[in-house]
Amino acid sequence: MSEFIKLDNVRKSYRMGEVTIHALEGVEFTIAEGEFVIIVGPSGAGKTTVLNILGGMDTASEGSVQVAGTDIAGYNERQLTRYRRDEIGFVFQFYNLVQNLTAKENVELASQICKDPLDAELVLKEVGLEERIFNFPAQLSGGEQQRVAIARALAKNPKLLLCDEPTGALDYMTGKSILKLLQDTCRERNMTVIVITHNTALTPMADRVIKIKNGKVTKMIMNENPLSVDTIEW
């Protein structure tokens, strides 16, 4: 598989009053196209900062962030907006659905702003919501709302799907079904999927595991035979 993402000496610092906080201190890793990747580490390790930089929602203070051969670290605001809109799908811990729009309308909202969107109803069927297309978020369970959020991300037809603790607000079985959906999406679409989590029990399902602690990559593991999430218990 070809190299799709490469971070080289990525640093991120924030000024809070007179104090400088170093969120990332020389992060380096590569990810191949079509991989299912888990970035794991404790709270405050820098996982979300890495995800935000990869997604163009934040910028690196130093270093290069290569995505599909382009260094997005040098992008201006207009370029970052276009990158987020056209290249990236986001799935968050909390679903961020528009409450007065149906499931279909929530998905269409995202697909209307990108270059090559997929059909909203088709994607909702693919995530198992064919019976819920015209329901509002308040009429859906937590797991169903997260499936709408995933459908919204997939409808953009992104090159990269970024998931920030996507099962954090869900019960065990529902969380497992969401992870299965993400894993299947990666395999079936050859889409690069990155999931950040603090749950180390999930790492056997990934092609690549990146461990982050105190703003640094402490270990990177390749799983030659990643497990289906169905077989993992935690």
Side-chain angles (χ1 to χ4, degrees), residues 137-190:
Q139 299 170 316
L140 302 173
S141 68
E144 288 170 337
Q145 289 185 66
Q146 190 62 296
R147 285 175 182 268
V148 174
I150 292 170
R152 179 180 58 192
L154 294 179
K156 292 175 66 181
N157 204 12
K159 292 180 180 176
L160 178 60
L161 186 62
L162 301 175
C163 310
D164 188 354
E165 297 277 6
T167 63
L170 302 174
D171 63 75
Y172 174 78
M173 290 307 297
T174 305
K176 211 168 188 180
S177 70
I178 292 298
L179 288 169
K180 177 82 164 63
L181 174 59
L182 292 172
Q183 192 177 40
D184 291 346
T185 297
C186 173
R187 301 290 180 246
E188 292 165 8
R189 296 175 180 262
N190 194 37

Side-chain angles (χ1 to χ4, degrees), residues 40 49 51 88 108 167 182-183 191 193 211 222 233:
V40 66
T49 304
L51 204 75
I88 306 297
E108 287 175 336
T167 63
L182 292 172
Q183 192 177 40
M191 186 182 291
V193 177
K211 295 188 176 184
M222 297 298 298
E233 301 290 336

Side-chain angles (χ1 to χ4, degrees), residues 36 38 179 183 187 202-207 223 226-227 229 232:
F36 189 91
I38 287 181
L179 288 169
Q183 192 177 40
R187 301 290 180 246
L202 300 179
T203 57
M205 71 179 286
D207 299 303
N223 287 332
L227 300 178
V229 72
I232 300 173

